[in-house]
Amino acid sequence: MTGDRVIRFTTAAVVCAVAAFAAVVSASHIYGLGRAHGQDGTAARLLPLSVDGLILAASLVLLHEARNDRDAPALARFMLWLGIGATIGANLAYGAGYGLLGALISAWPAVAFIGTVEIAMQLVRRARGPRPCQRCQGMCSRRSAPPTRRRSRRVHR
């Protein structure tokens, strides 16, 4: 195994561990907030999954589209930002009773979860490497350019 592969594997393992730990803490905060505001057992338990799962689902859609050289759907971007706002807001609200420092400490797991999910997405995006030009099936020397907003502006060389 090469040094780069060891680094990528170790990074992926650490990123996954941090994401898991942060997701558990963030979920417990959202669960506690839901229980404190009238959600029954089942609803309170599922609430964190709907918030953090939204972030993961939207990130995966964006990753899929980027890997297939397509524009990111506006709804996926919007839902990602909505999920980010919801998880950070819920975690801030959970710790707000303990003052500013309590709110910031409570929000940290949500920030760590979001950051690690995005780091993992970048690892996957980059692992694939440059792809041959799709128009000529790799017959030319050009490699695929990074995704752009408008495909019509690409110039085939």
Side-chain angles (χ1 to χ4, degrees), residues 40-155:
D40 68 8
T42 302
R45 279 190 285 284
L46 294 176
L47 187 59
L49 295 175
S50 72
V51 175
D52 291 340
L54 175 62
I55 293 168
L56 186 57
S59 294
L60 288 170
V61 168
L62 295 174
L63 173 65
H64 180 266
E65 295 306 297
R67 286 178 57 93
N68 288 285
D69 201 25
R70 293 189 292 250
D71 293 339
L75 181 59
R77 286 189 185 277
F78 174 74
M79 296 309 285
L80 176 62
W81 284 107
L82 188 62
I84 288 170
T87 194
I88 291 174
N91 280 276
L92 281 170
Y94 180 84
Y98 299 98
L100 178 60
L101 186 57
L104 293 175
I105 290 169
S106 292
W108 177 250
V111 172
F113 173 73
I114 294 161
T116 53
V117 166
E118 288 308 310
I119 289 169
M121 295 299 134
Q122 288 176 359
L123 281 174
V124 174
R125 279 186 202 106
R126 291 185 181 135
R128 193 163 166 189
R131 295 176 301 194
C133 174
Q134 291 178 350
R135 179 178 288 175
C136 64
Q137 311 305 327
M139 300 300 279
C140 71
S141 62
R142 184 176 83 72
R143 299 289 183 194
S144 292
T148 59
R149 286 228 169 250
R150 304 182 119 193
R151 291 173 147 267
S152 61
R153 290 189 181 180
R154 285 198 183 159
V155 176

